Amino acid sequence: MNIHEYQGKQIFARYGIPISKGIVAFSVDEAGTAAKKLIEETGSEVCVVKAQIHAGGRGKGGGVKVVKGAAAARETAGKILGMQLITHQTGPAGQKVRRLYIEQGQSIQRELYVGMVVDREARRVAVMASTEGGVEIEEVAEKSPEKIITEHIDPLLGLTPFQARKIAYALRVGEGSPDPKKTIAQFVKVLIALGECFVKEDCSLCEVNPMVITTTGDVVALDAKINFDANAEARHPEWKNLRDTDEEDPVELEAKEVGLSYVSLDGNIGCLVNGAGLAMSTMDIIKHYGGQPANFLDVGGGATKEMVTKAFKMILSSSKVKGIFVNIFGGIMKCDVVAEGIVAATKELGLTVPLVVRLEGTNVDAGKEILRNSGLKIEPADSMGDGAQKIVAAVK
């Protein structure tokens, strides 16, 4: 689950992580009022108008502008609000800007990168830091991997002060500061607080790019990118208030509400599978035979006829889908129930694209009999490989 920058900074503030003063705005008028208020409070005419979308690279896409004065902030807000912001993370379609964050300007001396992510290989949270602040970490990793410093957080001890100081000295945090000791002490404190935030808030990603050192030697989180681990949602009822459904795929949201696991992809072959592992294998074998999956869809082990029908509707909601491959290995889930759902959905939706079905497992004979007697144009498959070849050939 993703949240906006301003929401991430509100969480940072709770952990004592220094942030710039800022106000969220949902209209041009609100943006102008927010800028005026910030200028009065900070005594500086400089403020930043930031587009709020769930994607990085907003600055390069034209979604972050430094302006001087409330009038300029209002004018810039009018240009950004409502625009289709295209970044390297949104894809060519871009994302519509519906919210802005008006933030005070900072006098920046240095920009650093700090991020935390779950390192599955090490089975620990990894802290990544670099002197290349303001640059996508992927770009740094590709061109200058030696500039990325990594430390792993002990699950019992947390991020220790000596690890934070090690990172601070490696980044030369005190360099150029009027008070190096103060700057290093602040950086260590911020890094430890970020580690605490990551664990307590059940994050899967916590990134500050850039983390800046101001000309006065203060450490400030100039950005905030937080992703939550959706598996921890039961522990965080407050997440419901942070969700921005405008930023999420409507089909994925609908799937979540009915208990289905669905992820939209770029291909043209819809997949309906039970079990996440089998779903991944199905996508792989479709690609192996030259096709492109249009989605990941796991209906789970206890899906009903109604859920299968709903799954079909979700797949067909995409105009890109030119064929559907149903791959079911019935264990808890019975093949005859799946077959009934397939027949009901096909009749209800007036299916016109090719449909290949592979059934195996509990009540498989009854399931195949239902499909045979349906009178519908459903092509059976004897195996997963057979089914993948048939649907790829049908779509081509």
Side-chain angles (χ1 to χ4, degrees):
M1 176 183 162
N2 299 333
I3 60 173
H4 289 295
E5 173 196 357
Y6 74 92
Q7 295 168 321
K9 285 183 173 175
Q10 289 168 355
I11 293 172
F12 281 179
R14 296 207 303 265
Y15 287 86
I17 298 166
I19 59 171
S20 304
K21 287 186 177 181
I23 301 169
V24 66
F26 296 88
S27 69
V28 174
D29 288 338
E30 286 183 14
T33 304
K36 187 178 179 181
K37 185 177 180 182
L38 282 175
I39 290 167
E40 290 172 355
E41 289 180 357
T42 62
S44 171
E45 287 278 311
V46 179
C47 55
V48 188
V49 181
K50 294 184 171 184
Q52 298 295 287
I53 61 170
H54 288 172
R58 292 169 296 158
K60 286 184 178 180
V64 178
K65 298 291 183 183
V66 180
V67 296
K68 193 172 183 180
R74 192 182 191 284
E75 182 184 346
T76 303
K79 294 176 182 176
I80 296 177
L81 198 63
M83 76 180 288
Q84 205 70 17
L85 182 56
I86 300 171
T87 80
H88 68 286
Q89 291 185 8
T90 63
Q95 187 70 32
K96 187 175 181 179
V97 180
R98 296 178 173 87
R99 313 179 186 203
L100 297 172
Y101 191 46
I102 315 302
E103 192 174 57
Q104 74 174 112
Q106 292 283 359
S107 180
I108 300 169
Q109 191 255 328
R110 287 188 68 200
E111 294 187 356
L112 307 170
Y113 169 90
V114 175
M116 296 185 183
V117 68
V118 177
D119 184 340
R120 298 191 180 279
E121 188 175 339
R123 299 182 182 183
R124 295 189 176 192
V125 176
V127 183
M128 298 183 297
S130 175
T131 54
E132 305 299 297
V135 180
E136 285 87 5
I137 194 64
E138 296 86 356
E139 188 179 325
V140 179
E142 183 181 348
K143 296 179 179 178
S144 311
E146 73 282 354
K147 293 184 178 180
I148 299 176
I149 300 143
T150 305
E151 285 285 325
H152 287 92
I153 299 177
D154 187 286
L156 295 178
L157 301 176
L159 183 65
T160 58
F162 91 85
Q163 286 179 301
R165 283 195 295 273
K166 183 179 176 182
I167 294 171
Y169 288 124
L171 296 178
R172 306 185 308 279
V173 165
E175 193 174 280
S177 169
D179 188 346
K181 286 185 178 180
K182 180 193 82 169
T183 303
I184 291 170
Q186 279 191 17
F187 183 84
V188 168
K189 186 178 178 182
V190 168
L191 215 55
I192 291 172
L194 271 174
E196 184 185 358
C197 172
F198 188 98
V199 174
K200 288 187 176 179
E201 298 298 327
D202 283 306
C203 300
S204 58
L205 171 72
C206 184
E207 188 177 72
V208 184
N209 190 20
M211 175 88 76
V212 301
I213 312 295
T214 67
T215 52
T216 58
D218 293 310
V219 179
V220 180
L222 210 62
D223 192 17
K225 184 175 182 180
I226 291 179
N227 294 355
F228 294 127
D229 182 348
N231 294 301
E233 192 171 2
R235 289 198 290 265
H236 297 276
E238 73 277 8
W239 285 0
K240 185 170 68 173
N241 298 323
L242 297 175
R243 188 181 292 277
D244 182 358
T245 54
D246 288 327
E247 294 286 318
E248 300 183 40
D249 187 313
V251 182
E252 292 181 16
L253 282 174
E254 185 182 0
K256 182 180 173 66
E257 288 173 6
V258 297
L260 300 173
S261 297
Y262 180 97
V263 179
S264 296
L265 301 172
D266 296 327
N268 58 4
I269 296 176
C271 305
L272 192 156
V273 192
N274 66 319
L278 186 60
M280 296 293 287
S281 301
T282 302
M283 293 191 295
D284 285 343
I285 202 164
I286 286 172
K287 287 181 72 71
H288 175 74
Y289 286 113
Q292 293 293 331
N295 64 273
F296 168 97
L297 200 162
D298 172 16
V299 295
T304 61
K305 171 185 169 182
E306 290 72 27
M307 287 175 73
V308 173
T309 306
K310 191 77 173 175
F312 257 83
K313 289 181 179 178
M314 288 175 188
I315 292 172
L316 290 171
S317 66
S318 171
S319 59
K320 295 183 296 185
V321 173
K322 304 302 179 187
I324 300 176
F325 180 30
V326 177
N327 186 17
I328 299 295
F329 191 89
I332 300 171
M333 189 174 191
K334 297 177 174 62
C335 291
D336 55 335
V337 173
V338 175
E340 288 173 357
I342 292 169
V343 171
T346 304
K347 288 180 177 178
E348 183 182 338
L349 300 171
L351 193 68
T352 56
V353 298
L355 171 61
V356 176
V357 179
R358 177 255 183 165
L359 297 177
E360 196 60 70
T362 308
N363 294 357
V364 62
D365 293 332
K368 289 180 177 179
E369 185 69 20
I370 290 168
L371 295 181
R372 271 195 303 270
N373 297 333
S374 67
L376 300 169
K377 193 177 179 181
I378 299 172
E379 187 171 4
D382 296 325
S383 67
M384 187 162 78
D386 179 45
Q389 289 182 75
K390 284 180 175 177
I391 192 61
V392 171
V395 167
K396 286 185 176 178

